[in-house]
Amino acid sequence: MLPRGDNFARGNVIIGRKRDADGNAVGLDNDNPILDSRDYQVQFADSKVTELTANLIAESIYASCDDDGNEYLLMDYLVAYRKNGKELSL
């Protein structure tokens, strides 16, 4: 999940690095994530494109994973459900 305004949404870095008017990539890479200033263009499901820095993308990836690398998936609500008598009871 990537930041989008006041919310978070799934996005894809499919467009690539942001470019200036001369076609040069914006920002510089660095082994130290704090100093990494690369900008990427990210496209969301509604086809809107925004620019995010490499550190912000990395921070979002790390924040959505546990120590074993498993991704946390959050659910807003259930659309529908049904019971079939084989549910686990607590």
Side-chain angles (χ1 to χ4, degrees):
M1 302 295 276
L2 296 169
R4 186 168 185 205
D6 293 336
N7 299 314
F8 288 88
R10 288 194 180 275
N12 297 313
V13 185
I14 58 170
I15 297 174
R17 298 267 310 265
K18 180 181 174 186
R19 304 271 176 189
D20 63 15
D22 296 325
N24 300 317
V26 175
L28 299 172
D29 66 328
N30 195 300
D31 291 337
N32 183 342
I34 295 172
L35 301 176
D36 193 334
S37 62
R38 292 174 290 177
D39 283 344
Y40 288 89
Q41 292 182 321
V42 177
Q43 185 175 29
F44 291 95
D46 62 0
S47 299
K48 293 198 178 186
V49 176
T50 190
E51 294 152 5
L52 298 175
T53 61
N55 343 10
L56 192 54
I57 294 169
E59 181 181 324
S60 296
I61 292 169
Y62 288 126
S64 67
C65 295
D66 64 12
D67 293 338
D68 296 324
N70 299 312
E71 184 180 6
Y72 292 114
L73 297 176
L74 303 177
M75 179 173 42
D76 289 333
Y77 56 89
L78 292 173
V79 175
Y81 73 95
R82 70 176 179 192
K83 292 183 165 187
N84 63 6
K86 298 181 182 178
E87 301 84 25
L88 296 175
S89 60
L90 299 175

